[in-house]
Amino acid sequence: MIDFSQSKIKHLIIHEIGNKLRDEKVFLSETLQKIDEDLEDILLNYFFKFFLVEKELFSLNHNSNLNLNEIYTYSKTIFDKDDKNSFIKISNDIAKHLYEYSLHPKISKGELIIVEIENIIYEDNNINLIGIFKSEKKDSFLKIIKDDITINVKDDKGINISKLEKGCLVLNSNEENGYIVLNIDNKNQETDYWTNKFLNIKPLNNDIHKTKEIVKMCKSFSDEILSTKYNTDIKFTFNNDYINYFEDSESYDINSFSDSIFKNDDLKKDFFEYQESNKESFNFNINDRFELSQNDIKKEKKKVKNIIKLDTKLELKVLLNKDDISKNIEKGFDEEKGMSFYKIYFNEEIK
């Protein structure tokens, strides 16, 4: 969907952002980074390789007026002005904006790279983008020093280009709705300051987002309703059925989903009542028809845990599969012992 292969760096500047809570300062560069061809190749690889896999798309957001989102306004100015001096000035504003939210005690001082890149192909259009990257952790490396008579090594520290801690790309597309944004934040405890405060982005309501939301809703319904109202085998069968539906289908629509999943009218009624009462929590329309993102289904499947916890200090883990789970596990009550039991059917032990 996005082609970075012909991209070129137009402007690049590096600032240093301290932790405001610790009274560390902001260092603002006054000039652009000089870039030769070799350095450009290294930097472009660093900027883009983490976004080459399928990523959820976002847009810049504000509750009342999009123009009050600072990153939206700064990006718009860079795209509109299209000159070096304006880029430097706005990069200073971006750095100061990030500094105001650098208040978490775990936020480390680090370099902020701001770059404008041209010749990006998005939806058959040639556009520019703005990249904003924050590096906080320095890795050790050995620097080779060679002279006329010997070779020595010296320890040094720098940015590891095989890792990206925080980065976003603002594409000059869909301006009226907050641009198209890609975001990476690999430190979850600090996501709020980067994603929600500094950037203030929301998911684009596309097929990837809708896939995540319908799977998330099914999981929440299972955890919150089925766990308390129905027997364990009903919950397990539902989990198995909805995951299998998503894995086996190219697209989602409410009629095929409902026919495939709900054999029990009470269960169906409870599901739609749950969806209606929680529709503000799940940002999609359940009646939409959309293509399913298999990458995201695989990720969400790993989060579904079919575990039976027993008061005898035992846990039974039942894996999701293509078979009907209820055929292989049976619940009963032993009158003589006065205890419940599970009977498990299998063909052979797997070693």
Side-chain angles (χ1 to χ4, degrees), residues 122-167:
Y122 177 69
E123 294 186 340
D124 297 326
N125 294 314
N126 190 313
I127 63 171
N128 288 14
L129 66 76
I130 296 164
I132 307 173
F133 304 90
K134 172 79 185 296
S135 174
E136 295 173 355
K137 182 181 178 182
K138 300 294 185 299
D139 285 348
S140 299
F141 63 91
L142 294 177
K143 185 175 181 179
I144 306 298
I145 303 171
K146 180 182 177 183
D147 59 30
D148 293 338
I149 59 173
T150 190
I151 297 175
N152 293 302
V153 296
K154 178 184 177 183
D155 66 296
D156 211 335
K157 291 185 178 293
I159 297 172
N160 187 339
I161 61 172
S162 66
K163 300 176 183 177
L164 179 61
E165 295 169 58
K166 288 176 170 61

mmCIF file of all heavy atoms in Angstrom, residues 122-167:
data_model
loop_
_atom_site.group_PDB
_atom_site.id
_atom_site.type_symbol
_atom_site.label_atom_id
_atom_site.label_comp_id
_atom_site.label_asym_id
_atom_site.label_seq_id
_atom_site.Cartn_x
_atom_site.Cartn_y
_atom_site.Cartn_z
ATOM 1 N N TYR A 122 1.792 6.524 -2.274
ATOM 2 C CA TYR A 122 0.676 6.054 -1.446
ATOM 3 C C TYR A 122 -0.615 6.181 -2.245
ATOM 4 O O TYR A 122 -0.963 7.269 -2.703
ATOM 5 C CB TYR A 122 0.582 6.870 -0.149
ATOM 6 C CG TYR A 122 -0.605 6.492 0.719
ATOM 7 C CD1 TYR A 122 -0.644 5.258 1.366
ATOM 8 C CD2 TYR A 122 -1.680 7.358 0.884
ATOM 9 C CE1 TYR A 122 -1.721 4.902 2.153
ATOM 10 C CE2 TYR A 122 -2.768 7.017 1.675
ATOM 11 C CZ TYR A 122 -2.775 5.784 2.307
ATOM 12 O OH TYR A 122 -3.849 5.423 3.092
ATOM 13 N N GLU A 123 -1.258 5.042 -2.450
ATOM 14 C CA GLU A 123 -2.497 4.996 -3.246
ATOM 15 C C GLU A 123 -2.300 5.672 -4.604
ATOM 16 O O GLU A 123 -3.096 6.505 -5.044
ATOM 17 C CB GLU A 123 -3.663 5.627 -2.478
ATOM 18 C CG GLU A 123 -4.044 4.842 -1.233
ATOM 19 C CD GLU A 123 -5.283 5.382 -0.539
ATOM 20 O OE1 GLU A 123 -5.635 6.557 -0.774
ATOM 21 O OE2 GLU A 123 -5.900 4.623 0.231
ATOM 22 N N ASP A 124 -1.175 5.324 -5.250
ATOM 23 C CA ASP A 124 -0.830 5.784 -6.605
ATOM 24 C C ASP A 124 -0.511 7.275 -6.676
ATOM 25 O O ASP A 124 -0.419 7.845 -7.775
ATOM 26 C CB ASP A 124 -1.955 5.457 -7.606
ATOM 27 C CG ASP A 124 -2.174 3.972 -7.755
ATOM 28 O OD1 ASP A 124 -1.188 3.215 -7.674
ATOM 29 O OD2 ASP A 124 -3.338 3.558 -7.915
ATOM 30 N N ASN A 125 -0.321 7.930 -5.548
ATOM 31 C CA ASN A 125 0.049 9.346 -5.531
ATOM 32 C C ASN A 125 1.460 9.512 -4.986
ATOM 33 O O ASN A 125 1.865 8.812 -4.048
ATOM 34 C CB ASN A 125 -0.926 10.151 -4.661
ATOM 35 C CG ASN A 125 -2.324 10.172 -5.237
ATOM 36 O OD1 ASN A 125 -2.514 10.388 -6.427
ATOM 37 N ND2 ASN A 125 -3.316 9.932 -4.390
ATOM 38 N N ASN A 126 2.222 10.443 -5.572
ATOM 39 C CA ASN A 126 3.558 10.762 -5.097
ATOM 40 C C ASN A 126 3.441 11.860 -4.044
ATOM 41 O O ASN A 126 3.019 12.981 -4.347
ATOM 42 C CB ASN A 126 4.431 11.225 -6.271
ATOM 43 C CG ASN A 126 5.896 11.346 -5.879
ATOM 44 O OD1 ASN A 126 6.225 11.919 -4.858
ATOM 45 N ND2 ASN A 126 6.768 10.805 -6.702
ATOM 46 N N ILE A 127 3.824 11.547 -2.817
ATOM 47 C CA ILE A 127 3.628 12.484 -1.710
ATOM 48 C C ILE A 127 4.902 12.609 -0.874
ATOM 49 O O ILE A 127 5.846 11.832 -1.037
ATOM 50 C CB ILE A 127 2.466 12.045 -0.798
ATOM 51 C CG1 ILE A 127 2.789 10.682 -0.149
ATOM 52 C CG2 ILE A 127 1.155 12.002 -1.552
ATOM 53 C CD1 ILE A 127 1.818 10.273 0.930
ATOM 54 N N ASN A 128 4.906 13.563 0.030
ATOM 55 C CA ASN A 128 5.937 13.705 1.059
ATOM 56 C C ASN A 128 5.415 13.154 2.371
ATOM 57 O O ASN A 128 4.195 12.975 2.553
ATOM 58 C CB ASN A 128 6.329 15.172 1.248
ATOM 59 C CG ASN A 128 7.131 15.711 0.086
ATOM 60 O OD1 ASN A 128 7.191 15.091 -0.971
ATOM 61 N ND2 ASN A 128 7.738 16.866 0.274
ATOM 62 N N LEU A 129 6.320 12.913 3.297
ATOM 63 C CA LEU A 129 5.914 12.560 4.648
ATOM 64 C C LEU A 129 6.863 13.198 5.644
ATOM 65 O O LEU A 129 7.972 13.595 5.305
ATOM 66 C CB LEU A 129 5.856 11.041 4.854
ATOM 67 C CG LEU A 129 7.126 10.180 4.803
ATOM 68 C CD1 LEU A 129 7.983 10.294 6.061
ATOM 69 C CD2 LEU A 129 6.751 8.722 4.590
ATOM 70 N N ILE A 130 6.417 13.302 6.874
ATOM 71 C CA ILE A 130 7.242 13.772 7.983
ATOM 72 C C ILE A 130 7.449 12.602 8.940
ATOM 73 O O ILE A 130 6.486 11.941 9.345
ATOM 74 C CB ILE A 130 6.568 14.945 8.713
ATOM 75 C CG1 ILE A 130 6.431 16.135 7.771
ATOM 76 C CG2 ILE A 130 7.365 15.347 9.963
ATOM 77 C CD1 ILE A 130 5.459 17.174 8.239
ATOM 78 N N GLY A 131 8.705 12.336 9.269
ATOM 79 C CA GLY A 131 9.023 11.300 10.236
ATOM 80 C C GLY A 131 9.507 11.925 11.530
ATOM 81 O O GLY A 131 10.290 12.883 11.516
ATOM 82 N N ILE A 132 9.029 11.394 12.653
ATOM 83 C CA ILE A 132 9.459 11.860 13.976
ATOM 84 C C ILE A 132 9.904 10.629 14.758
ATOM 85 O O ILE A 132 9.104 9.710 14.978
ATOM 86 C CB ILE A 132 8.327 12.592 14.718
ATOM 87 C CG1 ILE A 132 7.744 13.713 13.857
ATOM 88 C CG2 ILE A 132 8.828 13.142 16.051
ATOM 89 C CD1 ILE A 132 6.504 14.363 14.455
ATOM 90 N N PHE A 133 11.166 10.593 15.178
ATOM 91 C CA PHE A 133 11.742 9.411 15.820
ATOM 92 C C PHE A 133 12.446 9.815 17.107
ATOM 93 O O PHE A 133 13.250 10.755 17.118
ATOM 94 C CB PHE A 133 12.743 8.723 14.882
ATOM 95 C CG PHE A 133 12.154 8.358 13.547
ATOM 96 C CD1 PHE A 133 12.210 9.253 12.485
ATOM 97 C CD2 PHE A 133 11.537 7.133 13.349
ATOM 98 C CE1 PHE A 133 11.664 8.931 11.255
ATOM 99 C CE2 PHE A 133 10.994 6.801 12.117
ATOM 100 C CZ PHE A 133 11.053 7.698 11.075
ATOM 101 N N LYS A 134 12.152 9.101 18.189
ATOM 102 C CA LYS A 134 12.786 9.374 19.484
ATOM 103 C C LYS A 134 13.607 8.150 19.880
ATOM 104 O O LYS A 134 13.101 7.036 19.949
ATOM 105 C CB LYS A 134 11.716 9.653 20.545
ATOM 106 C CG LYS A 134 12.255 9.762 21.979
ATOM 107 C CD LYS A 134 12.878 11.109 22.248
ATOM 108 C CE LYS A 134 13.515 11.177 23.639
ATOM 109 N NZ LYS A 134 12.573 11.038 24.744
ATOM 110 N N SER A 135 14.884 8.377 20.162
ATOM 111 C CA SER A 135 15.764 7.312 20.629
ATOM 112 C C SER A 135 16.199 7.632 22.051
ATOM 113 O O SER A 135 16.711 8.725 22.318
ATOM 114 C CB SER A 135 16.994 7.190 19.717
ATOM 115 O OG SER A 135 17.900 6.251 20.241
ATOM 116 N N GLU A 136 15.983 6.676 22.964
ATOM 117 C CA GLU A 136 16.301 6.925 24.364
ATOM 118 C C GLU A 136 17.422 6.028 24.887
ATOM 119 O O GLU A 136 18.155 6.413 25.785
ATOM 120 C CB GLU A 136 15.043 6.735 25.220
ATOM 121 C CG GLU A 136 13.965 7.767 24.894
ATOM 122 C CD GLU A 136 12.657 7.499 25.604
ATOM 123 O OE1 GLU A 136 12.556 6.466 26.283
ATOM 124 O OE2 GLU A 136 11.743 8.332 25.473
ATOM 125 N N LYS A 137 17.526 4.846 24.345
ATOM 126 C CA LYS A 137 18.511 3.895 24.856
ATOM 127 C C LYS A 137 19.744 3.881 23.956
ATOM 128 O O LYS A 137 19.638 3.755 22.744
ATOM 129 C CB LYS A 137 17.908 2.488 24.926
ATOM 130 C CG LYS A 137 18.850 1.446 25.495
ATOM 131 C CD LYS A 137 18.193 0.076 25.522
ATOM 132 C CE LYS A 137 19.169 -0.978 26.045
ATOM 133 N NZ LYS A 137 18.578 -2.331 26.039
ATOM 134 N N LYS A 138 20.909 4.002 24.548
ATOM 135 C CA LYS A 138 22.164 3.915 23.807
ATOM 136 C C LYS A 138 22.761 2.518 23.980
ATOM 137 O O LYS A 138 22.822 1.987 25.092
ATOM 138 C CB LYS A 138 23.169 4.955 24.319
ATOM 139 C CG LYS A 138 22.695 6.395 24.184
ATOM 140 C CD LYS A 138 22.571 6.794 22.726
ATOM 141 C CE LYS A 138 22.225 8.271 22.602
ATOM 142 N NZ LYS A 138 20.938 8.625 23.234
ATOM 143 N N ASP A 139 23.178 1.922 22.882
ATOM 144 C CA ASP A 139 23.822 0.609 22.915
ATOM 145 C C ASP A 139 25.338 0.763 22.770
ATOM 146 O O ASP A 139 25.824 1.694 22.117
ATOM 147 C CB ASP A 139 23.292 -0.286 21.795
ATOM 148 C CG ASP A 139 21.892 -0.801 22.100
ATOM 149 O OD1 ASP A 139 21.456 -0.639 23.252
ATOM 150 O OD2 ASP A 139 21.252 -1.352 21.194
ATOM 151 N N SER A 140 26.057 -0.163 23.373
ATOM 152 C CA SER A 140 27.516 -0.163 23.251
ATOM 153 C C SER A 140 27.936 -0.814 21.934
ATOM 154 O O SER A 140 27.282 -1.748 21.456
ATOM 155 C CB SER A 140 28.151 -0.920 24.420
ATOM 156 O OG SER A 140 27.828 -0.303 25.649
ATOM 157 N N PHE A 141 29.007 -0.301 21.346
ATOM 158 C CA PHE A 141 29.567 -0.930 20.164
ATOM 159 C C PHE A 141 31.073 -0.681 20.153
ATOM 160 O O PHE A 141 31.595 0.167 20.892
ATOM 161 C CB PHE A 141 28.911 -0.404 18.874
ATOM 162 C CG PHE A 141 29.131 1.059 18.628
ATOM 163 C CD1 PHE A 141 30.227 1.508 17.892
ATOM 164 C CD2 PHE A 141 28.235 2.004 19.104
ATOM 165 C CE1 PHE A 141 30.425 2.850 17.651
ATOM 166 C CE2 PHE A 141 28.433 3.363 18.870
ATOM 167 C CZ PHE A 141 29.537 3.788 18.144
ATOM 168 N N LEU A 142 31.767 -1.451 19.339
ATOM 169 C CA LEU A 142 33.217 -1.304 19.214
ATOM 170 C C LEU A 142 33.539 -0.530 17.946
ATOM 171 O O LEU A 142 33.078 -0.867 16.861
ATOM 172 C CB LEU A 142 33.886 -2.681 19.175
ATOM 173 C CG LEU A 142 33.783 -3.514 20.454
ATOM 174 C CD1 LEU A 142 34.417 -4.888 20.241
ATOM 175 C CD2 LEU A 142 34.444 -2.807 21.626
ATOM 176 N N LYS A 143 34.335 0.490 18.092
ATOM 177 C CA LYS A 143 34.751 1.316 16.965
ATOM 178 C C LYS A 143 36.163 0.905 16.556
ATOM 179 O O LYS A 143 37.071 0.821 17.401
ATOM 180 C CB LYS A 143 34.717 2.791 17.364
ATOM 181 C CG LYS A 143 35.017 3.756 16.232
ATOM 182 C CD LYS A 143 34.843 5.192 16.702
ATOM 183 C CE LYS A 143 35.103 6.176 15.574
ATOM 184 N NZ LYS A 143 34.906 7.571 16.021
ATOM 185 N N ILE A 144 36.361 0.609 15.298
ATOM 186 C CA ILE A 144 37.668 0.195 14.781
ATOM 187 C C ILE A 144 38.501 1.426 14.410
ATOM 188 O O ILE A 144 38.038 2.297 13.655
ATOM 189 C CB ILE A 144 37.513 -0.719 13.552
ATOM 190 C CG1 ILE A 144 36.588 -1.909 13.856
ATOM 191 C CG2 ILE A 144 38.877 -1.199 13.063
ATOM 192 C CD1 ILE A 144 37.109 -2.809 14.947
ATOM 193 N N ILE A 145 39.713 1.493 14.938
ATOM 194 C CA ILE A 145 40.621 2.611 14.638
ATOM 195 C C ILE A 145 41.888 2.047 13.996
ATOM 196 O O ILE A 145 42.612 1.251 14.606
ATOM 197 C CB ILE A 145 40.982 3.391 15.912
ATOM 198 C CG1 ILE A 145 39.701 3.904 16.595
ATOM 199 C CG2 ILE A 145 41.918 4.548 15.593
ATOM 200 C CD1 ILE A 145 39.929 4.502 17.952
ATOM 201 N N LYS A 146 42.149 2.437 12.781
ATOM 202 C CA LYS A 146 43.277 1.906 12.023
ATOM 203 C C LYS A 146 44.237 3.048 11.651
ATOM 204 O O LYS A 146 43.807 4.112 11.193
ATOM 205 C CB LYS A 146 42.765 1.218 10.760
ATOM 206 C CG LYS A 146 43.853 0.618 9.879
ATOM 207 C CD LYS A 146 43.232 0.006 8.619
ATOM 208 C CE LYS A 146 44.305 -0.529 7.682
ATOM 209 N NZ LYS A 146 43.726 -1.062 6.429
ATOM 210 N N ASP A 147 45.542 2.801 11.891
ATOM 211 C CA ASP A 147 46.550 3.766 11.418
ATOM 212 C C ASP A 147 47.599 3.030 10.583
ATOM 213 O O ASP A 147 47.365 1.894 10.152
ATOM 214 C CB ASP A 147 47.170 4.536 12.602
ATOM 215 C CG ASP A 147 47.839 3.608 13.612
ATOM 216 O OD1 ASP A 147 48.322 2.540 13.206
ATOM 217 O OD2 ASP A 147 47.881 3.962 14.805
ATOM 218 N N ASP A 148 48.755 3.622 10.386
ATOM 219 C CA ASP A 148 49.764 3.038 9.499
ATOM 220 C C ASP A 148 50.392 1.756 10.050
ATOM 221 O O ASP A 148 50.900 0.927 9.288
ATOM 222 C CB ASP A 148 50.886 4.050 9.223
ATOM 223 C CG ASP A 148 50.390 5.225 8.398
ATOM 224 O OD1 ASP A 148 49.366 5.049 7.709
ATOM 225 O OD2 ASP A 148 51.018 6.295 8.456
ATOM 226 N N ILE A 149 50.358 1.577 11.391
ATOM 227 C CA ILE A 149 51.093 0.435 11.952
ATOM 228 C C ILE A 149 50.223 -0.549 12.728
ATOM 229 O O ILE A 149 50.664 -1.653 13.054
ATOM 230 C CB ILE A 149 52.236 0.918 12.863
ATOM 231 C CG1 ILE A 149 51.681 1.777 14.015
ATOM 232 C CG2 ILE A 149 53.270 1.692 12.058
ATOM 233 C CD1 ILE A 149 52.731 2.142 15.051
ATOM 234 N N THR A 150 48.980 -0.202 13.031
ATOM 235 C CA THR A 150 48.189 -1.125 13.856
ATOM 236 C C THR A 150 46.692 -0.852 13.706
ATOM 237 O O THR A 150 46.273 0.163 13.145
ATOM 238 C CB THR A 150 48.580 -1.000 15.349
ATOM 239 O OG1 THR A 150 47.963 -2.053 16.087
ATOM 240 C CG2 THR A 150 48.132 0.346 15.909
ATOM 241 N N ILE A 151 45.899 -1.795 14.250
ATOM 242 C CA ILE A 151 44.442 -1.649 14.321
ATOM 243 C C ILE A 151 44.031 -1.791 15.784
ATOM 244 O O ILE A 151 44.422 -2.753 16.449
ATOM 245 C CB ILE A 151 43.708 -2.713 13.470
ATOM 246 C CG1 ILE A 151 44.062 -2.540 11.995
ATOM 247 C CG2 ILE A 151 42.202 -2.608 13.673
ATOM 248 C CD1 ILE A 151 43.476 -3.614 11.108
ATOM 249 N N ASN A 152 43.264 -0.852 16.292
ATOM 250 C CA ASN A 152 42.784 -0.883 17.667
ATOM 251 C C ASN A 152 41.265 -0.779 17.687
ATOM 252 O O ASN A 152 40.635 -0.376 16.701
ATOM 253 C CB ASN A 152 43.393 0.264 18.479
ATOM 254 C CG ASN A 152 44.891 0.106 18.670
ATOM 255 O OD1 ASN A 152 45.343 -0.892 19.218
ATOM 256 N ND2 ASN A 152 45.660 1.092 18.194
ATOM 257 N N VAL A 153 40.703 -1.141 18.834
ATOM 258 C CA VAL A 153 39.261 -0.967 19.033
ATOM 259 C C VAL A 153 39.045 -0.035 20.213
ATOM 260 O O VAL A 153 39.848 0.022 21.147
ATOM 261 C CB VAL A 153 38.532 -2.305 19.266
ATOM 262 C CG1 VAL A 153 38.623 -3.192 18.038
ATOM 263 C CG2 VAL A 153 39.077 -3.020 20.504
ATOM 264 N N LYS A 154 37.927 0.683 20.151
ATOM 265 C CA LYS A 154 37.548 1.589 21.229
ATOM 266 C C LYS A 154 36.061 1.422 21.475
ATOM 267 O O LYS A 154 35.267 1.327 20.532
ATOM 268 C CB LYS A 154 37.862 3.036 20.821
ATOM 269 C CG LYS A 154 37.454 4.072 21.856
ATOM 270 C CD LYS A 154 37.711 5.471 21.336
ATOM 271 C CE LYS A 154 37.240 6.513 22.352
ATOM 272 N NZ LYS A 154 37.418 7.894 21.839
ATOM 273 N N ASP A 155 35.676 1.358 22.757
ATOM 274 C CA ASP A 155 34.254 1.233 23.064
ATOM 275 C C ASP A 155 33.570 2.587 22.894
ATOM 276 O O ASP A 155 34.159 3.644 23.148
ATOM 277 C CB ASP A 155 34.045 0.714 24.486
ATOM 278 C CG ASP A 155 34.510 1.700 25.535
ATOM 279 O OD1 ASP A 155 35.719 1.972 25.563
ATOM 280 O OD2 ASP A 155 33.670 2.200 26.294
ATOM 281 N N ASP A 156 32.321 2.550 22.439
ATOM 282 C CA ASP A 156 31.554 3.767 22.229
ATOM 283 C C ASP A 156 30.082 3.443 22.399
ATOM 284 O O ASP A 156 29.696 2.268 22.512
ATOM 285 C CB ASP A 156 31.832 4.327 20.824
ATOM 286 C CG ASP A 156 31.715 5.856 20.801
ATOM 287 O OD1 ASP A 156 30.989 6.400 21.657
ATOM 288 O OD2 ASP A 156 32.345 6.475 19.929
ATOM 289 N N LYS A 157 29.242 4.440 22.436
ATOM 290 C CA LYS A 157 27.801 4.246 22.564
ATOM 291 C C LYS A 157 27.093 5.027 21.473
ATOM 292 O O LYS A 157 27.550 6.098 21.055
ATOM 293 C CB LYS A 157 27.298 4.685 23.946
ATOM 294 C CG LYS A 157 27.751 3.787 25.095
ATOM 295 C CD LYS A 157 27.118 4.217 26.399
ATOM 296 C CE LYS A 157 27.529 3.290 27.541
ATOM 297 N NZ LYS A 157 26.983 1.935 27.369
ATOM 298 N N GLY A 158 25.957 4.477 21.014
ATOM 299 C CA GLY A 158 25.206 5.165 19.973
ATOM 300 C C GLY A 158 23.849 4.523 19.762
ATOM 301 O O GLY A 158 23.437 3.608 20.491
ATOM 302 N N ILE A 159 23.131 4.996 18.750
ATOM 303 C CA ILE A 159 21.795 4.495 18.428
ATOM 304 C C ILE A 159 21.923 3.174 17.677
ATOM 305 O O ILE A 159 22.662 3.072 16.699
ATOM 306 C CB ILE A 159 21.027 5.514 17.569
ATOM 307 C CG1 ILE A 159 20.813 6.803 18.354
ATOM 308 C CG2 ILE A 159 19.694 4.947 17.100
ATOM 309 C CD1 ILE A 159 20.240 7.942 17.535
ATOM 310 N N ASN A 160 21.214 2.169 18.132
ATOM 311 C CA ASN A 160 21.183 0.871 17.458
ATOM 312 C C ASN A 160 20.155 0.939 16.331
ATOM 313 O O ASN A 160 18.948 1.039 16.588
ATOM 314 C CB ASN A 160 20.827 -0.231 18.454
ATOM 315 C CG ASN A 160 20.947 -1.626 17.855
ATOM 316 O OD1 ASN A 160 20.914 -1.789 16.641
ATOM 317 N ND2 ASN A 160 21.078 -2.613 18.702
ATOM 318 N N ILE A 161 20.616 0.884 15.085
ATOM 319 C CA ILE A 161 19.693 1.042 13.949
ATOM 320 C C ILE A 161 18.877 -0.212 13.666
ATOM 321 O O ILE A 161 18.051 -0.226 12.753
ATOM 322 C CB ILE A 161 20.443 1.478 12.671
ATOM 323 C CG1 ILE A 161 21.480 0.435 12.254
ATOM 324 C CG2 ILE A 161 21.082 2.844 12.862
ATOM 325 C CD1 ILE A 161 22.115 0.731 10.909
ATOM 326 N N SER A 162 19.109 -1.283 14.439
ATOM 327 C CA SER A 162 18.273 -2.480 14.298
ATOM 328 C C SER A 162 17.057 -2.409 15.221
ATOM 329 O O SER A 162 16.230 -3.319 15.238
ATOM 330 C CB SER A 162 19.079 -3.743 14.604
ATOM 331 O OG SER A 162 19.478 -3.777 15.963
ATOM 332 N N LYS A 163 16.948 -1.332 16.004
ATOM 333 C CA LYS A 163 15.814 -1.160 16.913
ATOM 334 C C LYS A 163 15.208 0.220 16.691
ATOM 335 O O LYS A 163 15.905 1.172 16.366
ATOM 336 C CB LYS A 163 16.269 -1.275 18.376
ATOM 337 C CG LYS A 163 16.903 -2.601 18.749
ATOM 338 C CD LYS A 163 17.407 -2.558 20.180
ATOM 339 C CE LYS A 163 18.122 -3.846 20.560
ATOM 340 N NZ LYS A 163 18.678 -3.778 21.946
ATOM 341 N N LEU A 164 13.903 0.296 16.879
ATOM 342 C CA LEU A 164 13.219 1.584 16.837
ATOM 343 C C LEU A 164 12.325 1.663 18.067
ATOM 344 O O LEU A 164 11.395 0.875 18.216
ATOM 345 C CB LEU A 164 12.386 1.744 15.564
ATOM 346 C CG LEU A 164 11.601 3.046 15.428
ATOM 347 C CD1 LEU A 164 12.544 4.238 15.421
ATOM 348 C CD2 LEU A 164 10.740 3.042 14.166
ATOM 349 N N GLU A 165 12.634 2.592 18.946
ATOM 350 C CA GLU A 165 11.874 2.701 20.195
ATOM 351 C C GLU A 165 10.544 3.431 19.990
ATOM 352 O O GLU A 165 9.496 2.958 20.399
ATOM 353 C CB GLU A 165 12.725 3.392 21.257
ATOM 354 C CG GLU A 165 13.953 2.579 21.661
ATOM 355 C CD GLU A 165 14.905 3.391 22.515
ATOM 356 O OE1 GLU A 165 14.467 3.866 23.571
ATOM 357 O OE2 GLU A 165 16.071 3.552 22.109
ATOM 358 N N LYS A 166 10.620 4.602 19.382
ATOM 359 C CA LYS A 166 9.417 5.381 19.123
ATOM 360 C C LYS A 166 9.566 6.070 17.779
ATOM 361 O O LYS A 166 10.600 6.673 17.495
ATOM 362 C CB LYS A 166 9.212 6.434 20.221
ATOM 363 C CG LYS A 166 8.775 5.852 21.557
ATOM 364 C CD LYS A 166 8.680 6.943 22.607
ATOM 365 C CE LYS A 166 8.015 6.405 23.852
ATOM 366 N NZ LYS A 166 8.780 5.285 24.446
ATOM 367 N N GLY A 167 8.531 5.980 16.972
ATOM 368 C CA GLY A 167 8.587 6.633 15.676
ATOM 369 C C GLY A 167 7.213 6.745 15.058
ATOM 370 O O GLY A 167 6.352 5.885 15.263
#
